[in-house]
Amino acid sequence: MIEIGRVCIKTAGRDAGLRCVIVDVLDGKFVLIDGETRRRKCNILHLETLKDVIKIKKNASHDEVKKELEKSGVRARETKPKQKTERLKKRRKTPGELRTQKEEKKKLRDLFKRKKEDEVGKGKVEEKKGESLEEKAGLVEEEKKQKSEKENKKPKKKSAKSDKK
Amino acid sequence: MSEPYKRSRTLRRLQSKVPGGRTVLHYKERKPSKAKCGNCGSMLKGVPRERNLKMHKLPKTKKRPERPYGGNLCSRCMRSLIVEKARLQ
């Protein structure tokens, strides 16, 4: 039953329940499989053989297996090779580069500082003026009232005392 | 008299040693029962026995074995089921 081109169903592992074809017989225990499953070495005990046999060569490539399987209506597994993305290696900055970086940062900092100071200063001055004027106006009146009251009280007391005496 | 929830056995008890040297009783919620195979009822391997909060934090691949019917059937029952299906074809 175990021969090259025999269609099987895998019964163990993450590919269990998927169809595959025996591509190579490695020894009495292991075979090489391909198809819906990953192309891998597999124990014979983990395969359930079917009636179908496909005509393929020994060690046939994945594309050949795919073509043959599609005739019987089985879609082989499509694996995309990983695209290699070049990673930029981190390198140390030279002292000159660091110096220029610092200078740029300083320039930016100074710019922002000046702007903030200008904005804050203008706003504060205006607000202060308004507040101070109102407060002054209110305070002046209050002070006047208080003064007048004190002046009124003082002579009364004095007068009362003088009367008693 | 201790509080009712401490008197009942809904919470499991843990004896832990505190840095001061005393042994203190800690009350913790019980773990859920072990996962069982839907067919034969045997204990499933590779399925952690944790409360919901901890299971939420685990990745999906650590919650069940990554094969068809993983986390529902044991491997033996899964294999026999697949073989049966294959032989029917």
Side-chain angles (χ1 to χ4, degrees):
Chain A
M1 288 291 276
I2 299 294
E3 59 194 329
I4 289 166
R6 172 71 68 183
V7 180
C8 310
I9 286 182
K10 202 154 182 294
T11 58
R14 57 178 172 176
D15 289 337
L18 299 177
R19 288 185 180 221
C20 58
V21 181
I22 294 170
V23 179
D24 191 9
V25 181
L26 302 173
D27 54 45
K29 241 182 183 182
F30 291 100
V31 290
L32 190 79
I33 58 167
D34 199 355
E36 276 187 323
T37 64
R38 279 148 250 265
R39 189 185 176 95
R40 69 198 315 245
K41 195 173 96 174
C42 178
N43 196 322
I44 293 167
L45 298 174
H46 300 161
L47 291 174
E48 182 67 24
T49 50
L50 298 178
K51 288 173 189 172
D52 317 335
V53 179
I54 283 173
K55 278 184 183 177
I56 48 168
K57 288 174 192 171
K58 192 183 173 186
N59 276 330
S61 67
H62 181 71
D63 294 328
E64 290 169 3
V65 174
K66 199 176 158 186
K67 267 185 191 174
E68 291 295 320
L69 274 179
E70 272 175 5
K71 285 174 189 171
S72 58
V74 178
R75 268 192 186 181
R77 183 188 174 78
E78 283 181 27
T79 51
K80 287 175 189 172
K82 272 188 183 178
Q83 286 182 347
K84 278 189 180 178
T85 52
E86 284 185 14
R87 277 188 184 179
L88 290 171
K89 276 188 179 178
K90 278 183 184 177
R91 73 184 172 85
R92 277 190 176 178
K93 281 173 183 171
T94 55
E97 284 176 341
L98 280 172
R99 230 173 278 148
T100 50
Q101 201 182 353
K102 268 189 181 178
E103 281 170 7
E104 282 172 7
K105 269 189 181 177
K106 261 191 181 179
K107 274 181 190 174
L108 280 172
R109 223 181 287 157
D110 291 346
L111 273 173
F112 281 120
K113 264 189 184 176
R114 272 176 207 162
K115 270 187 184 177
K116 273 184 185 176
E117 279 174 3
D118 291 347
E119 284 171 7
V120 171
K122 278 177 188 175
K124 272 185 181 176
V125 168
E126 285 169 5
E127 284 171 8
K128 268 188 182 176
K129 272 181 185 175
E131 284 173 7
S132 62
L133 277 170
E134 287 169 7
E135 283 173 10
K136 272 178 188 174
L139 277 171
V140 168
E141 287 174 6
E142 284 174 11
E143 280 172 6
K144 271 184 185 176
K145 276 181 187 176
Q146 282 175 359
K147 271 180 187 175
S148 62
E149 282 173 7
K150 277 179 186 176
E151 280 171 2
N152 288 334
K153 277 178 187 176
K154 275 176 187 175
K156 275 181 187 175
K157 280 180 184 175
K158 273 180 187 178
S159 64
K161 278 178 185 176
S162 63
D163 288 342
K164 276 182 183 177
K165 278 176 184 178
Chain B
M1 202 73 171
S2 55
E3 293 139 88
Y5 79 94
K6 284 182 179 173
R7 268 180 276 158
S8 72
R9 291 277 166 171
T10 45
L11 300 177
R12 74 194 166 105
R13 287 147 195 233
L14 285 174
Q15 286 204 335
S16 66
K17 264 203 172 181
V18 288
R22 299 177 293 138
T23 51
V24 180
L25 256 186
H26 280 230
Y27 294 87
K28 275 200 167 182
E29 288 187 79
R30 287 178 193 279
K31 280 183 182 181
S33 60
K34 281 177 186 173
K36 283 168 193 169
C37 171
N39 190 27
C40 63
S42 61
M43 302 292 177
L44 288 184
K45 283 166 186 174
V47 182
R49 193 186 168 194
E50 295 291 348
R51 289 197 74 83
N52 248 347
L53 189 86
K54 232 179 185 180
M55 291 289 269
H56 270 298
K57 286 176 186 173
L58 287 176
K60 203 173 185 180
T61 49
K62 282 187 181 173
K63 286 179 204 166
R64 79 271 186 281
E66 260 204 297
R67 68 172 112 85
Y69 304 103
N72 294 319
L73 293 182
C74 64
S75 62
R76 207 182 290 168
C77 289
M78 183 272 300
R79 199 174 292 182
S80 62
L81 201 144
I82 283 173
V83 168
E84 269 178 37
K85 275 187 180 177
R87 281 177 189 169
L88 277 174
Q89 284 175 4

